PDB file of all heavy atoms in Angstrom:
ATOM      1  N   ALA Q1270     177.500 110.521 105.302  1.00  0.00           N
ATOM      2  CA  ALA Q1270     176.163 110.204 104.819  1.00  0.00           C
ATOM      3  C   ALA Q1270     175.973 110.777 103.418  1.00  0.00           C
ATOM      4  O   ALA Q1270     176.547 111.815 103.088  1.00  0.00           O
ATOM      5  CB  ALA Q1270     175.111 110.786 105.765  1.00  0.00           C
ATOM      6  N   PRO Q1271     175.191 110.127 102.564  1.00  0.00           N
ATOM      7  CA  PRO Q1271     174.903 110.695 101.242  1.00  0.00           C
ATOM      8  C   PRO Q1271     174.149 112.014 101.376  1.00  0.00           C
ATOM      9  O   PRO Q1271     173.190 112.121 102.141  1.00  0.00           O
ATOM     10  CB  PRO Q1271     174.028 109.618 100.585  1.00  0.00           C
ATOM     11  CG  PRO Q1271     174.339 108.356 101.322  1.00  0.00           C
ATOM     12  CD  PRO Q1271     174.614 108.773 102.727  1.00  0.00           C
ATOM     13  N   VAL Q1272     174.590 113.019 100.606  1.00  0.00           N
ATOM     14  CA  VAL Q1272     173.977 114.349 100.663  1.00  0.00           C
ATOM     15  C   VAL Q1272     173.500 114.751  99.270  1.00  0.00           C
ATOM     16  O   VAL Q1272     174.275 114.734  98.312  1.00  0.00           O
ATOM     17  CB  VAL Q1272     174.968 115.408 101.197  1.00  0.00           C
ATOM     18  CG1 VAL Q1272     174.329 116.789 101.173  1.00  0.00           C
ATOM     19  CG2 VAL Q1272     175.418 115.054 102.611  1.00  0.00           C
ATOM     20  N   LEU Q1273     172.215 115.098  99.167  1.00  0.00           N
ATOM     21  CA  LEU Q1273     171.644 115.554  97.901  1.00  0.00           C
ATOM     22  C   LEU Q1273     171.586 117.070  97.897  1.00  0.00           C
ATOM     23  O   LEU Q1273     170.885 117.682  98.711  1.00  0.00           O
ATOM     24  CB  LEU Q1273     170.233 114.983  97.713  1.00  0.00           C
ATOM     25  CG  LEU Q1273     169.482 115.439  96.455  1.00  0.00           C
ATOM     26  CD1 LEU Q1273     170.175 114.923  95.198  1.00  0.00           C
ATOM     27  CD2 LEU Q1273     168.025 114.978  96.501  1.00  0.00           C
ATOM     28  N   GLU Q1274     172.347 117.696  96.989  1.00  0.00           N
ATOM     29  CA  GLU Q1274     172.343 119.150  96.870  1.00  0.00           C
ATOM     30  C   GLU Q1274     171.145 119.586  96.016  1.00  0.00           C
ATOM     31  O   GLU Q1274     170.905 119.034  94.947  1.00  0.00           O
ATOM     32  CB  GLU Q1274     173.648 119.636  96.230  1.00  0.00           C
ATOM     33  CG  GLU Q1274     174.905 119.271  97.012  1.00  0.00           C
ATOM     34  CD  GLU Q1274     175.007 120.002  98.345  1.00  0.00           C
ATOM     35  OE1 GLU Q1274     174.308 121.045  98.498  1.00  0.00           O
ATOM     36  OE2 GLU Q1274     175.765 119.539  99.217  1.00  0.00           O
ATOM     37  N   LEU Q1275     170.415 120.581  96.501  1.00  0.00           N
ATOM     38  CA  LEU Q1275     169.231 121.070  95.797  1.00  0.00           C
ATOM     39  C   LEU Q1275     169.555 122.359  95.053  1.00  0.00           C
ATOM     40  O   LEU Q1275     170.210 123.250  95.594  1.00  0.00           O
ATOM     41  CB  LEU Q1275     168.094 121.317  96.781  1.00  0.00           C
ATOM     42  CG  LEU Q1275     167.668 120.122  97.641  1.00  0.00           C
ATOM     43  CD1 LEU Q1275     166.507 120.527  98.564  1.00  0.00           C
ATOM     44  CD2 LEU Q1275     167.262 118.938  96.777  1.00  0.00           C
ATOM     45  N   SER Q1276     169.076 122.443  93.833  1.00  0.00           N
ATOM     46  CA  SER Q1276     169.287 123.660  93.043  1.00  0.00           C
ATOM     47  C   SER Q1276     168.100 124.598  93.226  1.00  0.00           C
ATOM     48  O   SER Q1276     167.045 124.210  93.748  1.00  0.00           O
ATOM     49  CB  SER Q1276     169.452 123.304  91.565  1.00  0.00           C
ATOM     50  OG  SER Q1276     168.292 122.642  91.078  1.00  0.00           O
ATOM     51  N   ALA Q1277     168.276 125.851  92.800  1.00  0.00           N
ATOM     52  CA  ALA Q1277     167.205 126.839  92.928  1.00  0.00           C
ATOM     53  C   ALA Q1277     166.017 126.463  92.050  1.00  0.00           C
ATOM     54  O   ALA Q1277     166.173 125.837  90.992  1.00  0.00           O
ATOM     55  CB  ALA Q1277     167.729 128.221  92.549  1.00  0.00           C
ATOM     56  N   ALA Q1278     164.826 126.824  92.501  1.00  0.00           N
ATOM     57  CA  ALA Q1278     163.627 126.568  91.705  1.00  0.00           C
ATOM     58  C   ALA Q1278     163.678 127.396  90.431  1.00  0.00           C
ATOM     59  O   ALA Q1278     164.315 128.452  90.374  1.00  0.00           O
ATOM     60  CB  ALA Q1278     162.376 126.921  92.508  1.00  0.00           C
ATOM     61  N   SER Q1279     163.012 126.926  89.378  1.00  0.00           N
ATOM     62  CA  SER Q1279     163.011 127.648  88.109  1.00  0.00           C
ATOM     63  C   SER Q1279     162.332 128.990  88.282  1.00  0.00           C
ATOM     64  O   SER Q1279     161.428 129.156  89.103  1.00  0.00           O
ATOM     65  CB  SER Q1279     162.285 126.826  87.030  1.00  0.00           C
ATOM     66  OG  SER Q1279     160.961 126.530  87.435  1.00  0.00           O
ATOM     67  N   GLU Q1280     162.751 129.980  87.487  1.00  0.00           N
ATOM     68  CA  GLU Q1280     162.255 131.356  87.633  1.00  0.00           C
ATOM     69  C   GLU Q1280     160.763 131.469  87.363  1.00  0.00           C
ATOM     70  O   GLU Q1280     160.071 132.298  87.954  1.00  0.00           O
ATOM     71  CB  GLU Q1280     163.021 132.279  86.693  1.00  0.00           C
ATOM     72  CG  GLU Q1280     164.498 132.424  87.062  1.00  0.00           C
ATOM     73  CD  GLU Q1280     165.219 133.377  86.141  1.00  0.00           C
ATOM     74  OE1 GLU Q1280     164.545 133.926  85.240  1.00  0.00           O
ATOM     75  OE2 GLU Q1280     166.430 133.579  86.317  1.00  0.00           O
ATOM     76  N   ASP Q1281     160.220 130.606  86.472  1.00  0.00           N
ATOM     77  CA  ASP Q1281     158.791 130.700  86.172  1.00  0.00           C
ATOM     78  C   ASP Q1281     157.936 129.975  87.206  1.00  0.00           C
ATOM     79  O   ASP Q1281     156.707 129.948  87.105  1.00  0.00           O
ATOM     80  CB  ASP Q1281     158.494 130.160  84.763  1.00  0.00           C
ATOM     81  CG  ASP Q1281     158.919 128.696  84.617  1.00  0.00           C
ATOM     82  OD1 ASP Q1281     159.348 128.093  85.619  1.00  0.00           O
ATOM     83  OD2 ASP Q1281     158.805 128.165  83.493  1.00  0.00           O
ATOM     84  N   GLY Q1282     158.628 129.357  88.193  1.00  0.00           N
ATOM     85  CA  GLY Q1282     157.888 128.689  89.255  1.00  0.00           C
ATOM     86  C   GLY Q1282     157.342 127.340  88.863  1.00  0.00           C
ATOM     87  O   GLY Q1282     156.611 126.709  89.624  1.00  0.00           O
ATOM     88  N   HIS Q1283     157.657 126.867  87.654  1.00  0.00           N
ATOM     89  CA  HIS Q1283     157.156 125.569  87.196  1.00  0.00           C
ATOM     90  C   HIS Q1283     157.944 124.446  87.855  1.00  0.00           C
ATOM     91  O   HIS Q1283     159.161 124.480  87.925  1.00  0.00           O
ATOM     92  CB  HIS Q1283     157.297 125.456  85.675  1.00  0.00           C
ATOM     93  CG  HIS Q1283     156.929 124.095  85.144  1.00  0.00           C
ATOM     94  ND1 HIS Q1283     155.633 123.658  85.094  1.00  0.00           N
ATOM     95  CD2 HIS Q1283     157.702 123.093  84.666  1.00  0.00           C
ATOM     96  CE1 HIS Q1283     155.613 122.431  84.586  1.00  0.00           C
ATOM     97  NE2 HIS Q1283     156.856 122.066  84.329  1.00  0.00           N
ATOM     98  N   HIS Q1284     157.211 123.448  88.327  1.00  0.00           N
ATOM     99  CA  HIS Q1284     157.834 122.281  88.940  1.00  0.00           C
ATOM    100  C   HIS Q1284     157.465 121.044  88.141  1.00  0.00           C
ATOM    101  O   HIS Q1284     156.298 120.830  87.809  1.00  0.00           O
ATOM    102  CB  HIS Q1284     157.347 122.110  90.391  1.00  0.00           C
ATOM    103  CG  HIS Q1284     157.720 123.262  91.274  1.00  0.00           C
ATOM    104  ND1 HIS Q1284     156.898 123.709  92.280  1.00  0.00           N
ATOM    105  CD2 HIS Q1284     158.810 124.067  91.289  1.00  0.00           C
ATOM    106  CE1 HIS Q1284     157.467 124.733  92.896  1.00  0.00           C
ATOM    107  NE2 HIS Q1284     158.619 124.969  92.307  1.00  0.00           N
ATOM    108  N   ASP Q1285     158.450 120.226  87.833  1.00  0.00           N
ATOM    109  CA  ASP Q1285     158.172 118.997  87.104  1.00  0.00           C
ATOM    110  C   ASP Q1285     157.332 118.075  87.966  1.00  0.00           C
ATOM    111  O   ASP Q1285     157.440 118.060  89.176  1.00  0.00           O
ATOM    112  CB  ASP Q1285     159.486 118.282  86.750  1.00  0.00           C
ATOM    113  CG  ASP Q1285     160.337 119.141  85.854  1.00  0.00           C
ATOM    114  OD1 ASP Q1285     159.765 119.899  85.060  1.00  0.00           O
ATOM    115  OD2 ASP Q1285     161.582 119.044  85.968  1.00  0.00           O
ATOM    116  N   ASN Q1286     156.496 117.247  87.354  1.00  0.00           N
ATOM    117  CA  ASN Q1286     155.735 116.270  88.132  1.00  0.00           C
ATOM    118  C   ASN Q1286     156.211 114.877  87.823  1.00  0.00           C
ATOM    119  O   ASN Q1286     156.920 114.623  86.865  1.00  0.00           O
ATOM    120  CB  ASN Q1286     154.222 116.407  87.877  1.00  0.00           C
ATOM    121  CG  ASN Q1286     153.866 116.230  86.402  1.00  0.00           C
ATOM    122  OD1 ASN Q1286     154.282 115.260  85.792  1.00  0.00           O
ATOM    123  ND2 ASN Q1286     153.102 117.160  85.838  1.00  0.00           N
ATOM    124  N   ALA Q1287     155.785 113.929  88.673  1.00  0.00           N
ATOM    125  CA  ALA Q1287     156.277 112.558  88.558  1.00  0.00           C
ATOM    126  C   ALA Q1287     155.872 111.925  87.241  1.00  0.00           C
ATOM    127  O   ALA Q1287     156.601 111.127  86.662  1.00  0.00           O
ATOM    128  CB  ALA Q1287     155.756 111.727  89.736  1.00  0.00           C
ATOM    129  N   ALA Q1288     154.660 112.288  86.748  1.00  0.00           N
ATOM    130  CA  ALA Q1288     154.200 111.701  85.486  1.00  0.00           C
ATOM    131  C   ALA Q1288     155.106 112.119  84.346  1.00  0.00           C
ATOM    132  O   ALA Q1288     155.447 111.321  83.465  1.00  0.00           O
ATOM    133  CB  ALA Q1288     152.759 112.135  85.202  1.00  0.00           C
ATOM    134  N   ASP Q1289     155.486 113.405  84.322  1.00  0.00           N
ATOM    135  CA  ASP Q1289     156.388 113.885  83.273  1.00  0.00           C
ATOM    136  C   ASP Q1289     157.715 113.156  83.342  1.00  0.00           C
ATOM    137  O   ASP Q1289     158.283 112.763  82.323  1.00  0.00           O
ATOM    138  CB  ASP Q1289     156.623 115.389  83.418  1.00  0.00           C
ATOM    139  CG  ASP Q1289     155.419 116.197  82.959  1.00  0.00           C
ATOM    140  OD1 ASP Q1289     154.545 115.616  82.295  1.00  0.00           O
ATOM    141  OD2 ASP Q1289     155.362 117.400  83.285  1.00  0.00           O
ATOM    142  N   ASP Q1290     158.254 112.975  84.568  1.00  0.00           N
ATOM    143  CA  ASP Q1290     159.530 112.297  84.729  1.00  0.00           C
ATOM    144  C   ASP Q1290     159.437 110.864  84.234  1.00  0.00           C
ATOM    145  O   ASP Q1290     160.347 110.337  83.601  1.00  0.00           O
ATOM    146  CB  ASP Q1290     159.965 112.314  86.197  1.00  0.00           C
ATOM    147  CG  ASP Q1290     160.378 113.712  86.636  1.00  0.00           C
ATOM    148  OD1 ASP Q1290     160.665 114.534  85.752  1.00  0.00           O
ATOM    149  OD2 ASP Q1290     160.405 113.951  87.856  1.00  0.00           O
ATOM    150  N   ALA Q1291     158.319 110.198  84.558  1.00  0.00           N
ATOM    151  CA  ALA Q1291     158.174 108.794  84.178  1.00  0.00           C
ATOM    152  C   ALA Q1291     158.070 108.646  82.673  1.00  0.00           C
ATOM    153  O   ALA Q1291     158.576 107.681  82.090  1.00  0.00           O
ATOM    154  CB  ALA Q1291     156.934 108.191  84.843  1.00  0.00           C
ATOM    155  N   SER Q1292     157.390 109.615  82.013  1.00  0.00           N
ATOM    156  CA  SER Q1292     157.211 109.515  80.568  1.00  0.00           C
ATOM    157  C   SER Q1292     158.392 110.078  79.799  1.00  0.00           C
ATOM    158  O   SER Q1292     158.503 109.887  78.593  1.00  0.00           O
ATOM    159  CB  SER Q1292     155.936 110.278  80.168  1.00  0.00           C
ATOM    160  OG  SER Q1292     156.089 111.661  80.447  1.00  0.00           O
ATOM    161  N   GLY Q1293     159.265 110.808  80.516  1.00  0.00           N
ATOM    162  CA  GLY Q1293     160.439 111.365  79.851  1.00  0.00           C
ATOM    163  C   GLY Q1293     160.203 112.730  79.263  1.00  0.00           C
ATOM    164  O   GLY Q1293     161.035 113.244  78.531  1.00  0.00           O
ATOM    165  N   THR Q1294     159.012 113.353  79.577  1.00  0.00           N
ATOM    166  CA  THR Q1294     158.723 114.660  79.005  1.00  0.00           C
ATOM    167  C   THR Q1294     159.081 115.793  79.944  1.00  0.00           C
ATOM    168  O   THR Q1294     159.081 116.945  79.556  1.00  0.00           O
ATOM    169  CB  THR Q1294     157.233 114.768  78.640  1.00  0.00           C
ATOM    170  OG1 THR Q1294     156.450 114.536  79.831  1.00  0.00           O
ATOM    171  CG2 THR Q1294     156.869 113.729  77.591  1.00  0.00           C
ATOM    172  N   GLY Q1295     159.349 115.490  81.224  1.00  0.00           N
ATOM    173  CA  GLY Q1295     159.733 116.518  82.187  1.00  0.00           C
ATOM    174  C   GLY Q1295     161.203 116.830  82.074  1.00  0.00           C
ATOM    175  O   GLY Q1295     161.914 116.324  81.202  1.00  0.00           O
ATOM    176  N   SER Q1296     161.689 117.677  82.985  1.00  0.00           N
ATOM    177  CA  SER Q1296     163.098 118.089  82.929  1.00  0.00           C
ATOM    178  C   SER Q1296     164.016 116.912  83.160  1.00  0.00           C
ATOM    179  O   SER Q1296     165.103 116.834  82.586  1.00  0.00           O
ATOM    180  CB  SER Q1296     163.364 119.185  83.966  1.00  0.00           C
ATOM    181  OG  SER Q1296     163.176 118.687  85.277  1.00  0.00           O
ATOM    182  N   ALA Q1297     163.573 115.952  84.016  1.00  0.00           N
ATOM    183  CA  ALA Q1297     164.408 114.779  84.261  1.00  0.00           C
ATOM    184  C   ALA Q1297     164.544 113.956  82.990  1.00  0.00           C
ATOM    185  O   ALA Q1297     165.616 113.430  82.674  1.00  0.00           O
ATOM    186  CB  ALA Q1297     163.813 113.925  85.388  1.00  0.00           C
ATOM    187  N   GLY Q1298     163.408 113.848  82.231  1.00  0.00           N
ATOM    188  CA  GLY Q1298     163.477 113.089  80.993  1.00  0.00           C
ATOM    189  C   GLY Q1298     164.322 113.780  79.958  1.00  0.00           C
ATOM    190  O   GLY Q1298     165.129 113.161  79.269  1.00  0.00           O
ATOM    191  N   LYS Q1299     164.161 115.129  79.849  1.00  0.00           N
ATOM    192  CA  LYS Q1299     164.933 115.889  78.870  1.00  0.00           C
ATOM    193  C   LYS Q1299     166.424 115.878  79.191  1.00  0.00           C
ATOM    194  O   LYS Q1299     167.249 116.041  78.316  1.00  0.00           O
ATOM    195  CB  LYS Q1299     164.422 117.333  78.824  1.00  0.00           C
ATOM    196  CG  LYS Q1299     162.992 117.448  78.310  1.00  0.00           C
ATOM    197  CD  LYS Q1299     162.493 118.872  78.398  1.00  0.00           C
ATOM    198  CE  LYS Q1299     161.046 118.992  77.919  1.00  0.00           C
ATOM    199  NZ  LYS Q1299     160.531 120.364  78.057  1.00  0.00           N
ATOM    200  N   ALA Q1300     166.732 115.683  80.464  1.00  0.00           N
ATOM    201  CA  ALA Q1300     168.146 115.717  80.868  1.00  0.00           C
ATOM    202  C   ALA Q1300     168.788 114.347  80.847  1.00  0.00           C
ATOM    203  O   ALA Q1300     169.919 114.180  81.278  1.00  0.00           O
ATOM    204  CB  ALA Q1300     168.267 116.313  82.274  1.00  0.00           C
ATOM    205  N   SER Q1301     168.062 113.332  80.326  1.00  0.00           N
ATOM    206  CA  SER Q1301     168.574 111.965  80.387  1.00  0.00           C
ATOM    207  C   SER Q1301     169.891 111.809  79.641  1.00  0.00           C
ATOM    208  O   SER Q1301     170.784 111.076  80.078  1.00  0.00           O
ATOM    209  CB  SER Q1301     167.532 110.985  79.820  1.00  0.00           C
ATOM    210  OG  SER Q1301     167.239 111.313  78.476  1.00  0.00           O
ATOM    211  N   ALA Q1302     170.016 112.501  78.481  1.00  0.00           N
ATOM    212  CA  ALA Q1302     171.264 112.385  77.721  1.00  0.00           C
ATOM    213  C   ALA Q1302     172.431 112.941  78.510  1.00  0.00           C
ATOM    214  O   ALA Q1302     173.509 112.345  78.571  1.00  0.00           O
ATOM    215  CB  ALA Q1302     171.131 113.124  76.388  1.00  0.00           C
ATOM    216  N   ALA Q1303     172.197 114.107  79.138  1.00  0.00           N
ATOM    217  CA  ALA Q1303     173.262 114.706  79.944  1.00  0.00           C
ATOM    218  C   ALA Q1303     173.590 113.830  81.129  1.00  0.00           C
ATOM    219  O   ALA Q1303     174.754 113.682  81.521  1.00  0.00           O
ATOM    220  CB  ALA Q1303     172.831 116.091  80.432  1.00  0.00           C
ATOM    221  N   THR Q1304     172.557 113.203  81.715  1.00  0.00           N
ATOM    222  CA  THR Q1304     172.775 112.319  82.854  1.00  0.00           C
ATOM    223  C   THR Q1304     173.625 111.128  82.454  1.00  0.00           C
ATOM    224  O   THR Q1304     174.524 110.710  83.177  1.00  0.00           O
ATOM    225  CB  THR Q1304     171.419 111.821  83.404  1.00  0.00           C
ATOM    226  OG1 THR Q1304     170.640 112.942  83.782  1.00  0.00           O
ATOM    227  CG2 THR Q1304     171.617 110.902  84.594  1.00  0.00           C
ATOM    228  N   ALA Q1305     173.330 110.565  81.280  1.00  0.00           N
ATOM    229  CA  ALA Q1305     174.103 109.427  80.810  1.00  0.00           C
ATOM    230  C   ALA Q1305     175.561 109.794  80.634  1.00  0.00           C
ATOM    231  O   ALA Q1305     176.461 109.023  80.967  1.00  0.00           O
ATOM    232  CB  ALA Q1305     173.518 108.911  79.483  1.00  0.00           C
TER     233      ALA Q1305
END
């Protein structure tokens, strides 16, 4: 079965939100180059 490994939460306790991800301003958006 596909398994998604989870990393530790950030030390400052900040969690990205879906709006940031969609606009590209969250960690997912900032990591797009690395993802590519």
Side-chain angles (χ1 to χ4, degrees):
V1272 177
L1273 177 66
E1274 300 292 341
L1275 303 181
S1276 60
S1279 57
E1280 294 182 1
D1281 59 5
H1283 174 72
H1284 298 145
D1285 298 328
N1286 58 51
D1289 285 346
D1290 289 341
S1292 64
T1294 58
S1296 64
K1299 295 175 181 177
S1301 60
T1304 301

